[in-house]
């Protein structure tokens, strides 16, 4: 399995309905390909974690980057893994009301030229998972 984290910029101001559409399709598709993850949206920025079989994740990522609802996809982190952080989430969703909520993740982005330490990444993701659970 692999885990991939990317950032992108929304091309328009996307309505809640449109984000719900993305989620609906993602949940349907991802459960049939053994993928899990989380999608964050706020302040015109998307961030998504995709985890699952390498072929499924990479194929899906290639499809996602061609989606006209966003642009400038940048991979922040990609790693082989035996463990899912988002077990049970065909695609979790966090709506960030304020771009500052991306603060932790943006820190990871700033470290992009270096190797992001696995522990830093895992801690940030666990933090988001807690928020997801708290919001459900
Ligand atoms: C930010 C963003 C994240 C997306 N995430 C997923 C995803 O996790 N899984 C998925 O199947 N499609 C996702 N999509 C939608 C894909 O780009 C594409 O529209 C969809 O996979 C096509 O599904 P279909 O072949 O069933 O029509 C995402 C799109 C955007 C803009």
């Amino acid at each position: 399995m692999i885990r991939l984290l990317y950032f992108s910029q929304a091309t328009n101001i996307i309505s809640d309905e449109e984000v719900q559409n993305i989620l609906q399709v993602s949940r349907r598709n991802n459960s049939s390909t053994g993928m899990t993850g989380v999608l964050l949206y706020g302040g015109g920025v998307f961030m998504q974690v995709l985890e699952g079989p390498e072929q499924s994740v990479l194929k899906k990522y290639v499809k996602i980057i061609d989606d006209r609802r966003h642009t400038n996809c940048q991979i922040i982190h990609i790693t082989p893994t035996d463990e899912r952080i988002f077990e049970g989430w065909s695609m979790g969703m966090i709506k960030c009301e304020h771009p500052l909520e991306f603060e932790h993740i943006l820190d990871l982005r700033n470290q992009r030229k270096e190797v992001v330490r696995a522990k830093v990444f895992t801690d940030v993701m666990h933090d988001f998972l807690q928020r997801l659970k708290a919001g459900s």
Side-chain angles (χ1 to χ4, degrees):
M1 284 203 313
I2 61 168
R3 183 180 308 116
L4 182 155
L5 166 73
Y6 74 86
F7 253 94
S8 65
Q9 285 170 306
T11 35
N12 298 303
I13 297 166
I14 290 193
S15 63
D16 282 355
E17 202 184 346
E18 186 112 39
V19 176
Q20 287 308 318
N21 277 342
I22 294 174
L23 275 177
Q24 228 171 38
V25 170
S26 303
R27 286 177 177 152
R28 190 187 62 220
N29 290 343
N30 297 356
S31 26
S32 67
T33 50
M35 283 168 48
T36 49
V38 66
L39 177 68
L40 282 87
Y41 175 66
V45 178
F46 284 110
M47 190 213 87
Q48 190 172 31
V49 178
L50 298 168
E51 53 187 20
E54 183 167 350
Q55 292 286 318
S56 310
V57 171
L58 295 179
K59 268 191 208 156
K60 183 50 70 176
Y61 180 67
V62 168
K63 192 161 200 176
I64 290 173
I65 52 181
D66 276 344
D67 195 309
R68 290 179 178 199
R69 290 172 285 193
H70 66 169
T71 180
N72 260 337
C73 290
Q74 292 177 41
I75 293 179
I76 307 297
H77 184 83
I78 181 164
T79 185
T81 179
D82 293 332
E83 203 192 325
R84 290 178 193 263
I85 296 179
F86 297 100
E87 181 79 52
W89 296 90
S90 55
M91 190 45 61
M93 168 70 189
I94 303 174
K95 189 175 174 199
C96 300
E97 299 297 340
H98 196 277
L100 275 184
E101 293 188 46
F102 282 104
E103 208 175 312
H104 284 322
I105 298 287
L106 284 167
D107 278 350
L108 289 181
R109 185 190 206 183
N110 293 336
Q111 295 176 40
R112 219 162 81 82
K113 284 189 198 124
E114 301 155 29
V115 176
V116 176
R117 282 188 301 129
K119 176 149 180 15
V120 174
F121 176 78
T122 307
D123 287 350
V124 171
M125 286 300 122
H126 276 297
D127 188 44
F128 278 115
L129 186 59
Q130 290 311 318
R131 287 207 227 172
L132 265 182
K133 283 183 178 158
S136 64

